[in-house]
Amino acid sequence: MNEQLNTFIQVAESGSFSKAAEKLFISPTAVMKQINSLEKHVGVPLLIRTNHGVELTEAGKSFNKDAAFFLQYFQEAVLRIRQAAQGNQHVIRVGTSMLNPCKVLLDLWNEISDQYPQFKIKIVHFEDDAYTLPTTYRSIGKYFDFIVGPYLIEDWKDYFSVLELGSYRFSFAVSRNHRLASKITLSVKDLYGEKLAVVKGGKSAVIDGIRDFLIRNHPKIKIKDVPRLYDIDVFNRCEQSDTVLLTLDAWSDIHPSLVTIPSDLDFTAPYGLLYPLNPTETVSQFLEIIKEMQTE
C-alpha cells in the first residue's frame, strides 16, 4: 500500500503514467499495475485514462486530498515500529513553517541535546494556509509532537496544550515603498488616514482588544477586517495593496518586500510549544526536560 499511495500521488501531480515512472525510476507498466491494484483495493476508479494522459475522477480528487496523509501516517507507523525494535531511541516530530518556525525549540534543544542522546528530532514541514491551518493544529499528536508558535485563538485549547516560552510584541508591517517605511518606530497616530489590516479569523481576545482599542481611541485609522487566519497570502495582499498590517515582531522576515516596524501598542501575544492534550510517554519526557531548562 505504501508504494501504491506514493505512485498515485506522483501520477496525480504529473498527470501522466510515463512522467510518474520517470520520477519513481520504474517502468510505466509498473506504474499502471500499481494504480490498477490501488483502484481494485478502494473499489472505485481514481483516474480517467486518455490519449493525452490521465485525469482524476471525482473520487480520485477526494482521495488525493488524503493520500499524502495516509502515506505519512504509514511511514510514521513504520517509524514507531522501528523505534520499538530499537528500544532506546525516541523520535520527536517537530512541525515547522514560515509563520511557525521550529528554530526556537531547536536552539533550546541544541544546548543540551548531547545529554539526551536517546532523543532524535525529526522536522515535519506544513503549509501556512488559512484554510488548512485549523486542521493542522487539530492534528497535533498525529503528524507532529510539537509546533512552536504564537497561540492567538483561544478555541484551539480544545485541541492541544501549550507550554508558554515567552511573548511576542505586536508591530506594523508596511511595503518598502510606503511613506512610513523609513520610520524606526511607529506610533498609533502615525497611522491616521491609513488602512490597517486586522486579521480576525477565529476568536482572539488580544486581537479583538487591539481592534476595539483603535476604534474607540483612534477613529482616524481605517480598520480593514481580514476574515481569515494569518497566512502568507495575507502578507502578500498587504504588500500589493499598500495596506498597513497588524503583525508580530517574530514575523519580521516573512516577506522581503515588507518592513516590520515596532509599535507603541501595549499588547503582546504569548508563544510556546503546542503539544497533544494526551501526550505519549516519550513526548511527556521531552516536555519535562524543556520545563527543567526554563527553571534553571
Side-chain angles (χ1 to χ4, degrees):
M1 182 62 72
N2 182 32
E3 291 185 4
Q4 293 173 2
L5 285 173
N6 190 36
T7 299
F8 173 78
I9 292 170
Q10 294 299 333
V11 172
E13 288 180 354
S14 62
S16 164
F17 287 135
S18 58
K19 290 180 181 178
E22 290 178 8
K23 293 181 180 180
L24 296 167
F25 298 98
I26 58 177
S27 69
T29 301
V31 170
M32 286 187 280
K33 286 182 178 180
Q34 290 188 24
I35 295 299
N36 290 340
S37 178
L38 179 61
E39 288 180 322
K40 183 178 180 181
H41 183 79
V42 299
V44 295
L46 300 174
L47 299 170
I48 301 172
R49 283 78 165 167
T50 71
N51 294 331
H52 305 291
V54 296
E55 298 177 1
L56 292 172
T57 64
E58 289 303 314
K61 292 176 183 178
S62 177
F63 186 76
N64 190 39
K65 294 179 181 179
D66 297 320
F69 288 107
F70 292 156
L71 181 60
Q72 184 174 1
Y73 188 81
F74 178 85
Q75 292 171 340
E76 295 296 343
V78 171
L79 180 62
R80 287 192 292 271
I81 293 171
R82 290 174 178 171
Q83 289 176 1
Q86 292 174 348
N88 62 346
Q89 289 293 310
H90 304 294
V91 176
I92 300 296
R93 303 164 301 169
V94 182
T96 191
S97 69
M98 289 186 69
L99 293 179
N100 297 272
C102 62
K103 187 177 184 300
V104 172
L105 176 58
L106 295 187
D107 286 346
L108 280 174
W109 183 247
N110 287 337
E111 294 179 19
I112 59 166
S113 59
D114 57 341
Q115 301 175 36
Y116 303 95
Q118 70 272 31
F119 289 101
K120 303 297 180 184
I121 304 293
K122 178 181 179 181
I123 306 302
V124 182
H125 177 74
F126 65 92
E127 294 294 335
D128 293 309
D129 183 286
Y131 302 103
T132 60
L133 273 174
T135 301
T136 297
Y137 284 104
R138 291 188 186 103
S139 68
I140 295 176
K142 294 181 180 179
Y143 310 113
F144 322 96
D145 297 312
F146 294 100
I147 290 178
V148 188
Y151 45 105
L152 297 168
I153 301 177
E154 288 73 17
D155 284 357
W156 286 352
K157 66 186 178 186
D158 296 332
Y159 303 107
F160 55 77
S161 299
V162 179
L163 173 62
E164 187 169 338
L165 298 177
S167 61
Y168 295 139
R169 290 195 62 83
F170 280 89
S171 303
F172 298 121
V174 298
S175 165
R176 292 189 178 276
N177 298 318
H178 196 281
R179 70 176 184 87
L180 299 173
S182 61
K183 292 274 191 178
I184 297 177
T185 61
L186 280 176
S187 71
V188 173
K189 292 183 178 180
D190 289 327
L191 270 58
Y192 284 5
E194 296 287 342
K195 290 186 294 184
L196 175 66
V198 178
V199 173
K200 285 182 63 62
K203 298 178 181 178
S204 172
V206 63
I207 291 180
D208 286 344
I210 294 173
R211 183 180 183 279
D212 293 344
F213 167 78
L214 294 175
I215 290 175
R216 184 173 60 253
N217 298 292
H218 302 279
K220 292 183 180 181
I221 299 175
K222 305 170 186 176
I223 302 295
K224 180 180 179 181
D225 290 327
V226 180
R228 60 191 300 172
L229 306 177
Y230 279 102
D231 66 3
I232 300 304
D233 192 48
V234 169
F235 289 82
N236 284 331
R237 289 176 181 273
C238 286
E239 193 279 331
Q240 293 164 7
S241 64
D242 217 27
T243 301
V244 182
L245 173 65
L246 177 69
T247 183
L248 296 173
D249 56 4
W251 293 336
S252 60
D253 298 324
I254 293 298
H255 198 300
S257 295
L258 289 176
V259 180
T260 299
I261 305 173
S263 75
D264 61 354
L265 287 172
D266 191 22
F267 293 86
T268 60
Y271 76 88
L273 297 187
L274 283 52
Y275 63 94
L277 291 173
N278 300 300
T280 64
E281 182 178 349
T282 295
V283 170
S284 295
Q285 291 174 359
F286 186 87
L287 197 61
E288 287 304 315
I289 295 170
I290 300 300
K291 288 180 179 178
E292 288 179 11
M293 288 187 68
Q294 289 186 286
T295 59
E296 292 178 356

